[in-house]
Short mmCIF file of all heavy atoms in Angstrom, two decimals:
data_model
loop_
_atom_site.label_atom_id
_atom_site.label_comp_id
_atom_site.label_asym_id
_atom_site.label_seq_id
_atom_site.Cartn_x
_atom_site.Cartn_y
_atom_site.Cartn_z
N MET A 46 47.95 61.81 99.26
CA MET A 46 49.11 62.40 99.62
C MET A 46 49.01 63.78 100.27
O MET A 46 49.46 64.02 101.26
CB MET A 46 50.19 62.36 98.46
CG MET A 46 51.50 63.00 98.80
SD MET A 46 52.49 61.81 99.75
CE MET A 46 53.96 62.78 99.96
N VAL A 47 48.27 64.62 99.71
CA VAL A 47 48.03 66.01 100.15
C VAL A 47 47.33 66.01 101.50
O VAL A 47 47.71 66.81 102.43
CB VAL A 47 47.27 66.83 99.03
CG1 VAL A 47 46.94 68.18 99.62
CG2 VAL A 47 48.11 66.87 97.84
N GLN A 48 46.40 65.15 101.66
CA GLN A 48 45.57 65.17 102.94
C GLN A 48 46.52 64.69 104.09
O GLN A 48 46.44 65.23 105.12
CB GLN A 48 44.44 64.14 102.79
CG GLN A 48 43.25 64.70 101.89
CD GLN A 48 43.56 64.31 100.52
OE1 GLN A 48 44.47 63.61 100.12
NE2 GLN A 48 42.68 64.87 99.63
N SER A 49 47.43 63.75 103.89
CA SER A 49 48.29 63.38 104.95
C SER A 49 49.28 64.36 105.27
O SER A 49 49.70 64.62 106.45
CB SER A 49 48.97 62.02 104.49
OG SER A 49 49.75 62.17 103.46
N VAL A 50 49.79 65.22 104.29
CA VAL A 50 50.71 66.25 104.51
C VAL A 50 50.11 67.34 105.39
O VAL A 50 50.70 67.86 106.38
CB VAL A 50 51.24 66.88 103.17
CG1 VAL A 50 52.08 68.02 103.38
CG2 VAL A 50 52.05 65.74 102.43
N ILE A 51 48.85 67.68 105.15
CA ILE A 51 48.20 68.73 105.92
C ILE A 51 48.02 68.29 107.37
O ILE A 51 48.21 69.07 108.25
CB ILE A 51 46.77 69.01 105.32
CG1 ILE A 51 46.96 69.65 103.98
CG2 ILE A 51 45.91 69.89 106.21
CD1 ILE A 51 45.69 69.96 103.23
N VAL A 52 47.72 66.98 107.54
CA VAL A 52 47.62 66.48 108.98
C VAL A 52 48.92 66.70 109.67
O VAL A 52 49.04 67.09 110.80
CB VAL A 52 47.14 65.01 108.96
CG1 VAL A 52 47.27 64.38 110.31
CG2 VAL A 52 45.76 64.88 108.39
N TYR A 53 50.08 66.22 109.05
CA TYR A 53 51.33 66.28 109.79
C TYR A 53 51.94 67.64 109.75
O TYR A 53 52.68 67.92 110.76
CB TYR A 53 52.33 65.26 109.07
CG TYR A 53 51.92 63.92 109.19
CD1 TYR A 53 51.70 63.07 108.06
CD2 TYR A 53 51.91 63.28 110.39
CE1 TYR A 53 51.42 61.67 108.17
CE2 TYR A 53 51.56 61.94 110.59
CZ TYR A 53 51.35 61.20 109.54
OH TYR A 53 50.98 59.90 109.68
N SER A 54 51.61 68.48 108.92
CA SER A 54 52.20 69.82 108.94
C SER A 54 51.41 70.92 109.62
O SER A 54 51.98 72.00 110.02
CB SER A 54 52.61 70.29 107.49
OG SER A 54 51.28 70.53 106.86
N GLU A 55 50.09 70.68 109.72
CA GLU A 55 49.22 71.71 110.23
C GLU A 55 48.45 71.30 111.54
O GLU A 55 48.51 71.98 112.58
CB GLU A 55 48.16 72.18 109.24
CG GLU A 55 48.81 72.73 108.03
CD GLU A 55 49.49 74.10 108.22
OE1 GLU A 55 49.04 74.89 109.18
OE2 GLU A 55 50.38 74.41 107.49
N ILE A 56 47.78 70.17 111.45
CA ILE A 56 46.92 69.78 112.60
C ILE A 56 47.67 69.22 113.83
O ILE A 56 47.43 69.72 114.90
CB ILE A 56 45.88 68.77 112.07
CG1 ILE A 56 45.02 69.36 110.97
CG2 ILE A 56 45.06 68.20 113.15
CD1 ILE A 56 44.15 68.43 110.30
N ILE A 57 48.57 68.23 113.72
CA ILE A 57 49.26 67.77 114.75
C ILE A 57 50.11 68.77 115.52
O ILE A 57 50.08 68.80 116.71
CB ILE A 57 50.10 66.49 114.31
CG1 ILE A 57 49.16 65.34 113.94
CG2 ILE A 57 50.94 65.98 115.46
CD1 ILE A 57 49.81 64.12 113.44
N PRO A 58 50.88 69.59 114.82
CA PRO A 58 51.76 70.55 115.53
C PRO A 58 50.79 71.59 116.30
O PRO A 58 51.14 71.93 117.38
CB PRO A 58 52.51 71.26 114.45
CG PRO A 58 52.59 70.25 113.31
CD PRO A 58 51.33 69.52 113.43
N THR A 59 49.70 71.96 115.79
CA THR A 59 48.76 72.92 116.35
C THR A 59 48.22 72.27 117.70
O THR A 59 48.16 72.93 118.71
CB THR A 59 47.62 73.24 115.49
OG1 THR A 59 48.13 73.74 114.32
CG2 THR A 59 46.68 74.31 116.14
N ILE A 60 47.81 71.05 117.62
CA ILE A 60 47.35 70.45 118.85
C ILE A 60 48.41 70.26 119.91
O ILE A 60 48.19 70.52 121.09
CB ILE A 60 46.74 69.01 118.46
CG1 ILE A 60 45.49 69.19 117.56
CG2 ILE A 60 46.42 68.12 119.71
CD1 ILE A 60 45.02 67.88 117.02
N LEU A 61 49.60 69.82 119.51
CA LEU A 61 50.70 69.70 120.48
C LEU A 61 51.08 71.07 121.09
O LEU A 61 51.34 71.17 122.23
CB LEU A 61 51.94 69.12 119.69
CG LEU A 61 51.95 67.69 119.39
CD1 LEU A 61 53.15 67.29 118.66
CD2 LEU A 61 51.80 66.74 120.66
N ALA A 62 51.02 72.09 120.30
CA ALA A 62 51.45 73.44 120.79
C ALA A 62 50.33 73.93 121.70
O ALA A 62 50.69 74.48 122.76
CB ALA A 62 51.63 74.46 119.60
N ILE A 63 49.10 73.74 121.55
CA ILE A 63 48.08 74.20 122.38
C ILE A 63 48.12 73.46 123.77
O ILE A 63 48.06 74.07 124.80
CB ILE A 63 46.62 73.96 121.86
CG1 ILE A 63 46.47 74.92 120.62
CG2 ILE A 63 45.50 74.12 122.81
CD1 ILE A 63 45.22 74.70 119.79
N PHE A 64 48.31 72.16 123.67
CA PHE A 64 48.48 71.40 124.96
C PHE A 64 49.83 71.80 125.62
O PHE A 64 49.80 71.86 126.83
CB PHE A 64 48.46 69.85 124.66
CG PHE A 64 47.00 69.28 124.53
CD1 PHE A 64 46.64 68.75 123.30
CD2 PHE A 64 46.09 69.35 125.49
CE1 PHE A 64 45.42 68.21 123.16
CE2 PHE A 64 44.90 68.81 125.42
CZ PHE A 64 44.53 68.26 124.27
N GLY A 65 50.84 72.06 124.86
CA GLY A 65 52.05 72.55 125.52
C GLY A 65 51.90 73.78 126.19
O GLY A 65 52.38 74.04 127.34
N LEU A 66 51.28 74.79 125.59
CA LEU A 66 50.95 76.04 126.24
C LEU A 66 50.14 75.93 127.43
O LEU A 66 50.38 76.55 128.54
CB LEU A 66 50.36 77.02 125.26
CG LEU A 66 51.27 77.59 124.13
CD1 LEU A 66 50.52 78.35 123.18
CD2 LEU A 66 52.49 78.40 124.75
N TYR A 67 49.13 75.03 127.38
CA TYR A 67 48.23 74.82 128.54
C TYR A 67 49.09 74.27 129.73
O TYR A 67 49.00 74.85 130.88
CB TYR A 67 47.05 73.83 128.19
CG TYR A 67 46.40 73.37 129.39
CD1 TYR A 67 45.46 74.16 129.99
CD2 TYR A 67 46.64 72.09 129.95
CE1 TYR A 67 44.71 73.74 131.06
CE2 TYR A 67 45.95 71.67 131.00
CZ TYR A 67 45.06 72.52 131.68
OH TYR A 67 44.29 72.10 132.77
N PHE A 68 49.99 73.30 129.42
CA PHE A 68 50.82 72.76 130.54
C PHE A 68 51.81 73.73 131.06
O PHE A 68 52.07 73.69 132.27
CB PHE A 68 51.41 71.43 130.08
CG PHE A 68 50.58 70.23 130.12
CD1 PHE A 68 50.09 69.68 128.99
CD2 PHE A 68 50.15 69.69 131.34
CE1 PHE A 68 49.28 68.51 129.08
CE2 PHE A 68 49.28 68.66 131.39
CZ PHE A 68 48.90 68.06 130.35
N ILE A 69 52.39 74.56 130.12
CA ILE A 69 53.35 75.59 130.59
C ILE A 69 52.70 76.58 131.50
O ILE A 69 53.20 76.88 132.51
CB ILE A 69 53.98 76.23 129.35
CG1 ILE A 69 54.93 75.38 128.64
CG2 ILE A 69 54.69 77.48 129.71
CD1 ILE A 69 55.41 75.85 127.27
N ILE A 70 51.52 77.05 131.10
CA ILE A 70 50.81 78.06 131.96
C ILE A 70 50.33 77.50 133.27
O ILE A 70 50.55 78.04 134.27
CB ILE A 70 49.56 78.62 131.15
CG1 ILE A 70 50.07 79.46 129.95
CG2 ILE A 70 48.67 79.44 132.01
CD1 ILE A 70 49.06 79.89 129.02
N THR A 71 49.82 76.28 133.19
CA THR A 71 49.40 75.62 134.42
C THR A 71 50.60 75.31 135.35
O THR A 71 50.52 75.56 136.56
CB THR A 71 48.75 74.27 134.15
OG1 THR A 71 47.59 74.43 133.25
CG2 THR A 71 48.30 73.58 135.42
N GLY A 72 51.69 74.89 134.74
CA GLY A 72 52.90 74.75 135.63
C GLY A 72 53.43 75.91 136.22
O GLY A 72 53.91 75.83 137.42
N VAL A 73 53.41 77.00 135.58
CA VAL A 73 53.95 78.26 136.04
C VAL A 73 53.09 78.80 137.14
O VAL A 73 53.51 79.27 138.19
CB VAL A 73 54.26 79.27 135.00
CG1 VAL A 73 54.46 80.67 135.57
CG2 VAL A 73 55.30 78.95 134.04
N LEU A 74 51.69 78.84 136.82
CA LEU A 74 50.91 79.34 137.84
C LEU A 74 50.65 78.60 139.10
O LEU A 74 50.54 79.12 140.17
CB LEU A 74 49.48 79.63 137.15
CG LEU A 74 49.41 80.74 136.10
CD1 LEU A 74 48.03 80.75 135.46
CD2 LEU A 74 49.76 82.02 136.60
N ASP A 75 50.66 77.22 138.95
CA ASP A 75 50.59 76.43 140.15
C ASP A 75 51.84 75.98 140.72
O ASP A 75 51.90 75.20 141.72
CB ASP A 75 49.69 75.14 139.79
CG ASP A 75 48.19 75.53 139.43
OD1 ASP A 75 47.76 76.56 139.81
OD2 ASP A 75 47.55 74.71 138.82
N GLU A 76 52.94 76.45 140.18
CA GLU A 76 54.30 76.00 140.50
C GLU A 76 54.46 74.54 140.56
O GLU A 76 55.08 73.94 141.55
CB GLU A 76 54.52 76.57 141.98
CG GLU A 76 54.61 78.07 141.90
CD GLU A 76 54.89 78.72 143.27
OE1 GLU A 76 55.16 77.97 144.22
OE2 GLU A 76 54.92 79.93 143.42
N LYS A 77 54.08 73.80 139.53
CA LYS A 77 54.27 72.43 139.25
C LYS A 77 55.33 72.23 138.16
O LYS A 77 55.05 72.47 137.05
CB LYS A 77 52.97 71.82 139.03
CG LYS A 77 51.84 71.83 140.02
CD LYS A 77 50.69 71.13 139.55
CE LYS A 77 49.62 71.17 140.66
NZ LYS A 77 48.39 70.53 140.26
N ARG A 78 56.47 71.79 138.62
CA ARG A 78 57.51 71.68 137.71
C ARG A 78 57.31 70.49 136.68
O ARG A 78 57.81 70.62 135.53
CB ARG A 78 58.88 71.50 138.35
CG ARG A 78 59.33 72.73 139.09
CD ARG A 78 60.70 72.48 139.68
NE ARG A 78 60.97 73.77 140.41
CZ ARG A 78 62.25 74.10 140.54
NH1 ARG A 78 63.28 73.39 140.09
NH2 ARG A 78 62.52 75.26 141.22
N ASN A 79 56.56 69.53 137.10
CA ASN A 79 56.25 68.46 136.16
C ASN A 79 55.44 68.94 135.01
O ASN A 79 55.72 68.58 133.88
CB ASN A 79 55.51 67.32 136.84
CG ASN A 79 56.51 66.64 137.92
OD1 ASN A 79 57.66 66.63 137.79
ND2 ASN A 79 55.81 65.91 138.91
N PHE A 80 54.46 69.66 135.23
CA PHE A 80 53.64 70.19 134.23
C PHE A 80 54.31 71.15 133.30
O PHE A 80 54.20 71.20 132.10
CB PHE A 80 52.39 70.95 134.81
CG PHE A 80 51.29 70.12 135.33
CD1 PHE A 80 51.42 68.72 135.36
CD2 PHE A 80 50.03 70.60 135.61
CE1 PHE A 80 50.42 67.88 135.86
CE2 PHE A 80 49.01 69.72 136.14
CZ PHE A 80 49.27 68.39 136.19
N LEU A 81 55.19 71.92 133.94
CA LEU A 81 56.04 72.84 133.18
C LEU A 81 56.98 72.03 132.18
O LEU A 81 57.07 72.37 130.98
CB LEU A 81 56.90 73.85 134.04
CG LEU A 81 57.80 74.77 133.36
CD1 LEU A 81 56.96 75.79 132.51
CD2 LEU A 81 58.58 75.56 134.47
N ALA A 82 57.52 70.94 132.64
CA ALA A 82 58.46 70.20 131.75
C ALA A 82 57.73 69.51 130.77
O ALA A 82 58.16 69.42 129.56
CB ALA A 82 59.17 69.13 132.66
N ILE A 83 56.43 68.99 130.99
CA ILE A 83 55.68 68.39 129.99
C ILE A 83 55.28 69.39 128.98
O ILE A 83 55.33 69.04 127.73
CB ILE A 83 54.47 67.71 130.66
CG1 ILE A 83 54.85 66.47 131.49
CG2 ILE A 83 53.39 67.26 129.58
CD1 ILE A 83 53.72 65.95 132.32
N GLY A 84 54.88 70.53 129.38
CA GLY A 84 54.47 71.65 128.39
C GLY A 84 55.66 72.02 127.49
O GLY A 84 55.48 72.19 126.39
N LEU A 85 56.83 72.18 128.06
CA LEU A 85 57.99 72.55 127.25
C LEU A 85 58.28 71.41 126.24
O LEU A 85 58.64 71.63 125.08
CB LEU A 85 59.18 72.76 128.12
CG LEU A 85 59.16 74.06 128.93
CD1 LEU A 85 60.36 74.16 129.97
CD2 LEU A 85 59.07 75.24 128.01
N LEU A 86 58.28 70.14 126.72
CA LEU A 86 58.50 69.11 125.84
C LEU A 86 57.48 68.99 124.69
O LEU A 86 57.85 68.75 123.53
CB LEU A 86 58.46 67.76 126.62
CG LEU A 86 58.71 66.47 125.70
CD1 LEU A 86 60.22 66.40 125.25
CD2 LEU A 86 58.36 65.25 126.64
N LEU A 87 56.22 69.13 124.93
CA LEU A 87 55.19 69.11 124.04
C LEU A 87 55.30 70.27 123.01
O LEU A 87 55.18 70.13 121.76
CB LEU A 87 53.70 69.18 124.60
CG LEU A 87 53.28 67.93 125.26
CD1 LEU A 87 51.86 68.32 125.96
CD2 LEU A 87 53.14 66.81 124.26
N PHE A 88 55.70 71.43 123.52
CA PHE A 88 55.92 72.55 122.61
C PHE A 88 57.09 72.43 121.62
O PHE A 88 56.95 72.70 120.50
CB PHE A 88 56.04 73.86 123.39
CG PHE A 88 55.85 75.12 122.55
CD1 PHE A 88 54.53 75.51 122.34
CD2 PHE A 88 56.87 75.93 122.17
CE1 PHE A 88 54.27 76.68 121.60
CE2 PHE A 88 56.70 77.01 121.37
CZ PHE A 88 55.34 77.40 121.08
N LEU A 89 58.17 71.81 122.20
CA LEU A 89 59.32 71.52 121.34
C LEU A 89 58.99 70.48 120.30
O LEU A 89 59.44 70.55 119.17
CB LEU A 89 60.56 71.16 122.23
CG LEU A 89 61.10 72.41 122.99
CD1 LEU A 89 62.21 71.78 123.96
CD2 LEU A 89 61.65 73.42 122.23
N LEU A 90 58.21 69.52 120.75
CA LEU A 90 57.72 68.49 119.74
C LEU A 90 56.92 69.03 118.69
O LEU A 90 57.07 68.62 117.55
CB LEU A 90 57.03 67.32 120.50
CG LEU A 90 57.85 66.35 121.19
CD1 LEU A 90 56.85 65.32 121.96
CD2 LEU A 90 58.66 65.53 120.27
N ALA A 91 56.13 70.01 118.99
CA ALA A 91 55.31 70.69 117.99
C ALA A 91 56.07 71.48 116.91
O ALA A 91 55.71 71.58 115.85
CB ALA A 91 54.32 71.69 118.70
N ILE A 92 57.31 71.90 117.42
CA ILE A 92 58.26 72.57 116.46
C ILE A 92 58.96 71.55 115.62
O ILE A 92 59.11 71.74 114.41
CB ILE A 92 59.20 73.46 117.23
CG1 ILE A 92 58.39 74.54 117.90
CG2 ILE A 92 60.25 74.01 116.34
CD1 ILE A 92 59.30 75.36 118.99
N VAL A 93 59.40 70.47 116.19
CA VAL A 93 60.35 69.54 115.54
C VAL A 93 59.63 68.49 114.70
O VAL A 93 60.08 68.08 113.63
CB VAL A 93 61.35 68.85 116.57
CG1 VAL A 93 62.25 67.85 115.94
CG2 VAL A 93 62.14 70.00 117.15
N VAL A 94 58.58 67.97 115.23
CA VAL A 94 57.97 66.74 114.65
C VAL A 94 57.56 66.96 113.07
O VAL A 94 57.81 66.00 112.32
CB VAL A 94 56.64 66.36 115.42
CG1 VAL A 94 55.71 65.42 114.65
CG2 VAL A 94 57.18 65.66 116.71
N PRO A 95 57.03 68.10 112.64
CA PRO A 95 56.69 68.18 111.27
C PRO A 95 57.92 68.06 110.30
O PRO A 95 57.82 67.47 109.31
CB PRO A 95 56.09 69.55 111.16
CG PRO A 95 55.63 69.93 112.50
CD PRO A 95 56.52 69.27 113.42
N PHE A 96 58.95 68.51 110.75
CA PHE A 96 60.19 68.47 109.95
C PHE A 96 60.67 67.07 109.83
O PHE A 96 61.08 66.61 108.82
CB PHE A 96 61.30 69.37 110.49
CG PHE A 96 61.04 70.81 110.38
CD1 PHE A 96 60.74 71.56 111.53
CD2 PHE A 96 61.11 71.45 109.11
CE1 PHE A 96 60.53 72.97 111.43
CE2 PHE A 96 60.73 72.88 109.05
CZ PHE A 96 60.43 73.52 110.22
N ILE A 97 60.66 66.34 110.96
CA ILE A 97 61.06 65.00 110.92
C ILE A 97 60.17 64.12 110.03
O ILE A 97 60.60 63.32 109.24
CB ILE A 97 61.17 64.31 112.40
CG1 ILE A 97 62.18 65.15 113.18
CG2 ILE A 97 61.43 62.91 112.32
CD1 ILE A 97 62.14 64.80 114.64
N ILE A 98 58.84 64.24 110.21
CA ILE A 98 57.92 63.42 109.45
C ILE A 98 57.86 63.80 107.94
O ILE A 98 57.90 62.83 107.11
CB ILE A 98 56.50 63.54 110.12
CG1 ILE A 98 56.45 62.83 111.47
CG2 ILE A 98 55.50 62.92 109.20
CD1 ILE A 98 55.24 63.03 112.29
N LEU A 99 57.83 65.10 107.67
CA LEU A 99 57.73 65.48 106.33
C LEU A 99 59.01 65.23 105.49
O LEU A 99 58.88 64.92 104.36
CB LEU A 99 57.39 66.97 106.14
CG LEU A 99 56.02 67.29 106.69
CD1 LEU A 99 55.63 68.81 106.72
CD2 LEU A 99 54.89 66.58 105.86
N THR A 100 60.17 65.26 106.12
CA THR A 100 61.33 64.91 105.34
C THR A 100 61.43 63.43 105.06
O THR A 100 62.02 63.04 103.97
CB THR A 100 62.70 65.43 106.05
OG1 THR A 100 62.70 64.74 107.53
CG2 THR A 100 62.68 66.89 106.21
N ASN A 101 60.90 62.64 105.83
CA ASN A 101 60.84 61.22 105.63
C ASN A 101 59.78 60.82 104.61
O ASN A 101 59.89 59.80 103.95
CB ASN A 101 60.60 60.42 106.88
CG ASN A 101 61.80 60.43 107.85
OD1 ASN A 101 62.94 60.54 107.40
ND2 ASN A 101 61.52 60.27 109.07
N MET A 102 58.69 61.71 104.46
CA MET A 102 57.62 61.44 103.43
C MET A 102 58.07 61.63 102.09
O MET A 102 57.56 61.17 101.09
CB MET A 102 56.38 62.19 103.85
CG MET A 102 55.66 61.62 105.02
SD MET A 102 54.14 62.56 105.39
CE MET A 102 53.18 62.00 104.06
N ILE A 103 58.95 62.66 102.03
CA ILE A 103 59.33 63.12 100.58
C ILE A 103 60.35 62.20 100.00
O ILE A 103 61.18 61.63 100.37
CB ILE A 103 59.91 64.54 100.68
CG1 ILE A 103 58.71 65.46 101.06
CG2 ILE A 103 60.41 65.02 99.37
CD1 ILE A 103 59.15 66.87 101.36
#
């Protein structure tokens, strides 16, 4: 149980946030709105997903 909580609360949000920041920066610098939108979506998912998954696990 503890190992799965760490994956959902630490690892997955970190990966989503890193990819989100990458897409946000790429979208702003290259003026690509699609990348910017994907980056914002990934970053918001990194914020929300742990709460959704962990509340269902408890």
Side-chain angles (χ1 to χ4, degrees):
M46 177 77 177
V47 174
Q48 289 85 7
S49 63
V50 171
I51 292 173
V52 170
Y53 290 121
S54 67
E55 299 292 330
I56 298 172
I57 292 176
T59 304
I60 293 171
L61 288 174
I63 290 171
F64 280 115
L66 288 175
Y67 170 76
F68 279 112
I69 289 171
I70 292 170
T71 303
V73 169
L74 292 178
D75 294 340
E76 296 180 3
K77 295 181 179 179
R78 291 186 182 209
N79 293 337
F80 283 8
L81 181 62
I83 292 170
L85 289 172
L86 180 67
L87 285 175
F88 197 78
L89 291 175
L90 278 175
I92 295 169
V93 175
V94 165
F96 293 108
I97 295 171
I98 293 174
L99 292 175
T100 55
N101 288 331
M102 288 180 71
I103 295 176

